[in-house]
Amino acid sequence: MVFQTKRKFLLFFCHIMAITICTESAIIKQNSNSSYMTARDAIIHAEDLLSIGGHLILNERENQVDEIFLRYKYDELARGFQDADQNVGAMHFFKAKPMIEQSKVFQFLQQMPKGALLHAHTSATVSSKWVVENIFQMPGLLRCVRSDGVSILSFRRMPEKHNCTSDYVLVSDERNRADSAEGYDQSLEGLINLYTPMPELEYPTITRVWTRFQNMFSTMSDVLLYLPAYRAYHWQMLQEMYDDNIMYSEVRMNMYELYDANNNTFTGERCLLELMHLVAQFRQQHPDFLGIKIIISPSRNTAPEGIQQRFDNFKMYHSLYPKTLIGFDLVGQEDTGRPLIEFVSILNQQPETAKFFFHAGETNWFGSPIDYNILDALLLNTTRIGHGYALIKHPMLWNEVKARDIAIEVNPLSNQILHLVWDLRNHPGALFIAQDIPMVICNDDPGFWNAKGLSYDFYYAIMSMAPNNAGLKTLKQLVWNSLKYSTFDECERKNAYELLQTKWDQFIDNVLNGIVV
C-alpha cells in the first residue's frame, strides 16, 4: 500500500511537470534508491524552475558572484539553524537590525543595484534620525500636546490647536531647558519612530501599533508642509534612495497647501511643482537617477463626498501633468477603513490615461468586506496591488493576478512591524516567489523604523521568504521586475533597462574584484 501511494505521487508529478527522466522503471523498482533519488531530485529541480528567477540564465561572471553570495547566505543560515538567537531571518527587525548591519549578505545587498522603488509614502520615507538632526533643528518649530498625549509639531506662526491641552512652545526652548540636548532629541525621535526593544510587549495587538503609527503622521504632517522643510526633506528622500542604489521611484503622496515663514500659503499645485523642481535639480547632479512619478493617495477613511472631491482634483492635475501624476490610490489601515466597494461609482470616472495602484489585502481577515478589497482592485483594473498580503487565501484571484501579470508590491518590514506577521519566513511572499507570482520588493514607510532605502527589505526577502538555495537569480529577477512593472513608457523603459544593465555589470565586476563586501 505504501509503495502504491509513492507510485501515484511520483506519477502525478511526472505528468504535471513533464519530466521525461521520471520513467516507469524508475518508479516501479521499489528497492532502487538511485531511481528514488532521481525522481526526488527531478521534482526539486522542477520546483526551482517554477520560482521567481528560475528560468534566468546567468553568465559565467554572474555564476561566480552567485557562488560568493551563497557562501555568505549559507554561513548565516547555518548559524541561525544551530542557534535560534542568531536566526536573523526569523527575528523581528527591531531586534535583528544590529545583526543585519554586520551581515555580509546585507552589505552585498547594499551595493547591489535595486532598480525601482514602486511603493513608498513620501511623508515617511526619510530616516527619523536625519529628520531630528535637520528638520527639527530649524528655527521656529513649535510643539503642543493633544489630550491623548500625541505631540503636534508646526512652523506656523499661529497653528491650529488640534485639541491640544497646552499652548505651543518653541522646541528650541524646550531643548535648552532639558538636562541633555541629546536626550531631548532622542525623545523627539521617538515621536516619529516605532522602534522599541520589546515590540512584543509594547505592541501586543495590531490596534496598538497602528494607533501609534498613524499618530506619527499627525505629529509630522504640518511640519512637512513648511516650504523650507518640504524642500530639505524631499531632497533627502531622493538622496537616501540614490545612496541605496535605487534609480527611480513611484511614490504615494498628497497635494496639500504649503506655507512659508511669513504665513503665506500656496495651492496644492505648488506642492507638486516644488517636488518636480527638486527632482530636476537632483538629476542634474545625479544623471543616473531617473526621477520619480506620483500616485495621489488620500485616506480610505474619508467619506465618499470627500473622495469625490480629491478624485476630481486628481483628474484636473493629471490632465496638466500626465507624465508625472500617474495614478490614484486609497491608503490607511484597511481593517478600520472604508472598503473599496464604497467608492466604485467614483472610481469608475477614471481618466483613460490614469492608473490605479490600490492598497489591498493588507489584512489577516478572510472573507470580510475589507478582505475583498483585492477583488475590487482587480475589477477596477488596478495596475499593481499594494501589499496583497491576503491574496493567497483567494486562489481564483492570485491565478488572475498571475494571468494578467499584475505585480504585488511586497513590503516585508512594514508587514512585520505593523503586526501582520512576526516570522517573515511565514510571509505569503514565500508563495509568490515559489509560484512566480509577479512581485516587487518595496519599503512602504522606512523612515518610521529608521531603515534607509530598500536593502533591509531585500535582506528579509532573500533570507526569509526565498528558499535556502535562492541566490543571484532570484535577486536579479526581483530587480528587473521593478522596471518591468513600473509605468515607464516604451522609450523610458528601454533607457532604464540599459542603465540598469550597465550598473549591474559594474556591480558584478566590483564583487569579483573584491570591492564589494
Side-chain angles (χ1 to χ4, degrees):
M1 180 64 69
V2 172
F3 171 66
Q4 289 297 322
T5 301
K6 290 181 180 178
R7 183 176 185 274
K8 291 178 181 178
F9 175 81
L10 293 174
L11 278 172
F12 169 77
F13 273 99
C14 291
H15 173 72
I16 294 297
M17 301 176 185
I19 305 170
T20 57
I21 61 173
C22 286
T23 62
E24 185 69 19
S25 61
I27 300 170
I28 62 175
K29 292 181 180 177
Q30 183 177 5
N31 297 320
S32 172
N33 186 59
S34 63
S35 298
Y36 178 92
M37 294 305 296
T38 297
R40 185 177 186 276
D41 291 344
I43 293 168
I44 293 172
H45 177 64
E47 283 200 334
D48 288 343
L49 290 176
L50 283 175
S51 67
I52 284 180
H55 286 282
L56 271 185
I57 298 175
L58 302 179
N59 61 36
E60 181 180 350
R61 294 175 69 77
E62 288 174 323
N63 278 319
Q64 294 176 42
V65 171
D66 187 40
E67 292 177 5
I68 293 170
F69 176 77
L70 285 174
R71 283 203 299 272
Y72 301 151
K73 182 176 180 180
Y74 289 149
D75 284 347
E76 292 187 30
L77 290 172
R79 287 197 298 273
F81 186 79
Q82 294 163 7
D83 181 357
D85 290 336
Q86 298 293 313
N87 190 4
V88 180
M91 295 168 64
H92 192 284
F93 176 64
F94 292 161
K95 296 175 178 289
K97 187 172 185 254
M99 299 168 68
I100 292 173
E101 290 169 348
Q102 297 301 313
S103 156
K104 287 189 175 181
V105 168
F106 179 70
Q107 293 162 19
F108 179 99
L109 294 171
Q110 283 184 302
Q111 299 301 315
M112 183 184 74
K114 311 296 189 306
L117 167 59
L118 299 182
H119 185 124
H121 300 267
T122 57
S123 55
T125 52
V126 175
S127 52
S128 57
K129 186 175 182 60
W130 184 91
V131 171
V132 171
E133 292 176 349
N134 293 273
I135 303 297
F136 289 179
Q137 304 291 332
M138 289 181 172
L141 180 62
L142 298 169
R143 176 185 181 185
C144 77
V145 181
R146 286 191 326 209
S147 56
D148 58 1
V150 175
S151 290
I152 304 297
L153 302 176
S154 179
F155 287 98
R156 296 183 194 270
R157 288 186 176 180
M158 297 184 65
E160 295 180 16
K161 287 291 288 182
H162 295 284
N163 296 320
C164 285
T165 58
S166 65
D167 292 331
Y168 278 92
V169 296
L170 280 168
V171 167
S172 57
D173 288 348
E174 285 192 325
R175 184 182 291 109
N176 291 336
R177 289 194 299 267
D179 293 336
S180 164
E182 182 180 357
Y184 178 78
D185 285 343
Q186 287 176 350
S187 69
L188 281 182
E189 187 176 1
L191 302 178
I192 56 168
N193 190 333
L194 281 169
Y195 171 77
T196 170
M198 300 293 285
E200 67 274 25
L201 298 180
E202 188 156 346
Y203 308 127
T205 65
I206 193 169
T207 300
R208 186 80 63 86
V209 71
W210 264 94
T211 298
R212 174 93 191 281
F213 178 63
Q214 291 174 319
N215 285 340
M216 294 195 302
F217 286 100
S218 298
T219 295
M220 279 289 289
S221 60
D222 208 46
V223 169
L224 297 183
L225 299 179
Y226 179 53
L227 194 51
Y230 183 89
R231 291 168 175 164
Y233 179 93
H234 287 89
W235 184 275
Q236 181 66 15
M237 177 188 78
L238 299 173
Q239 189 66 57
E240 289 188 10
M241 290 179 186
Y242 185 79
D243 289 345
D244 200 47
N245 290 293
I246 297 166
M247 54 191 277
Y248 167 78
S249 186
E250 294 176 6
V251 299
R252 266 87 164 178
M253 63 174 286
N254 282 304
M255 294 169 57
Y256 293 126
E257 289 185 350
L258 301 178
Y259 65 96
D260 64 14
N262 296 318
N263 266 15
N264 297 312
T265 58
F266 310 92
T267 66
E269 185 176 12
R270 178 68 177 271
C271 189
L272 176 62
L273 294 174
E274 285 287 339
L275 186 53
M276 291 170 64
H277 180 65
L278 284 171
V279 172
Q281 286 185 308
F282 191 86
R283 292 193 65 195
Q284 286 182 347
Q285 297 183 25
H286 307 90
D288 55 340
F289 184 76
L290 300 180
I292 67 170
K293 296 182 182 181
I294 296 167
I295 300 162
I296 295 300
S297 52
S299 170
R300 64 186 336 112
N301 284 309
T302 307
E305 55 270 23
I307 294 297
Q308 180 70 69
Q309 181 181 2
R310 286 162 175 78
F311 196 57
D312 289 342
N313 286 340
F314 160 71
K315 289 189 291 184
M316 177 182 67
Y317 287 120
H318 171 73
S319 68
L320 298 174
Y321 310 101
K323 291 187 176 181
T324 300
L325 203 63
I326 56 172
F328 193 83
D329 185 14
L330 297 171
V331 302
Q333 187 181 8
E334 285 190 67
D335 288 349
T336 59
R338 296 172 183 267
L340 276 177
I341 189 68
E342 292 191 18
F343 305 112
V344 168
S345 61
I346 298 170
L347 298 170
N348 275 329
Q349 305 165 25
Q350 176 195 22
E352 289 185 6
T353 53
K355 302 178 185 297
F356 288 135
F357 304 87
F358 289 123
H359 278 62
E362 191 183 3
T363 181
N364 273 319
W365 290 101
F366 184 19
S368 69
I370 295 303
D371 179 41
Y372 285 111
N373 279 342
I374 296 179
L375 171 59
D376 290 308
L378 290 171
L379 291 174
L380 287 164
N381 198 32
T382 191
T383 295
R384 296 191 302 267
I385 294 175
H387 296 283
Y389 185 88
L391 180 66
I392 60 169
K393 298 173 183 176
H394 300 280
M396 289 189 66
L397 299 186
W398 67 258
N399 277 296
E400 183 70 8
V401 161
K402 192 168 184 179
R404 288 165 56 182
D405 205 24
I406 297 172
I408 308 301
E409 301 162 350
V410 176
N411 300 272
L413 282 181
S414 175
N415 293 162
Q416 182 191 66
I417 293 168
L418 296 181
H419 226 288
L420 289 182
V421 59
W422 181 278
D423 186 336
L424 281 164
R425 294 175 300 176
N426 298 322
H427 192 283
L431 174 72
F432 302 160
I433 290 174
Q435 286 288 315
D436 196 15
I437 292 174
M439 64 175 280
V440 291
I441 300 299
C442 305
N443 62 13
D444 204 17
D445 304 284
F448 282 178
W449 33 89
N450 209 23
K452 293 182 181 179
L454 265 174
S455 292
Y456 295 97
D457 288 277
F458 259 98
Y459 180 88
Y460 278 103
I462 198 66
M463 295 298 292
S464 307
M465 300 180 193
N468 285 7
N469 65 341
L472 200 65
K473 283 186 178 182
T474 303
L475 290 171
K476 184 176 182 180
Q477 188 63 66
L478 289 170
V479 170
W480 256 252
N481 277 0
S482 71
L483 297 189
K484 176 181 179 182
Y485 296 110
S486 70
T487 61
F488 284 137
D489 61 33
E490 185 176 344
C491 181
E492 289 172 329
R493 198 179 313 279
K494 178 177 180 294
N495 292 335
Y497 275 132
E498 289 175 355
L499 177 59
L500 177 58
Q501 187 65 58
T502 299
K503 288 178 171 291
W504 184 265
D505 291 341
Q506 184 61 58
F507 167 68
I508 296 299
D509 289 343
N510 289 345
V511 175
L512 294 178
N513 292 330
I515 298 174
V516 174
V517 185

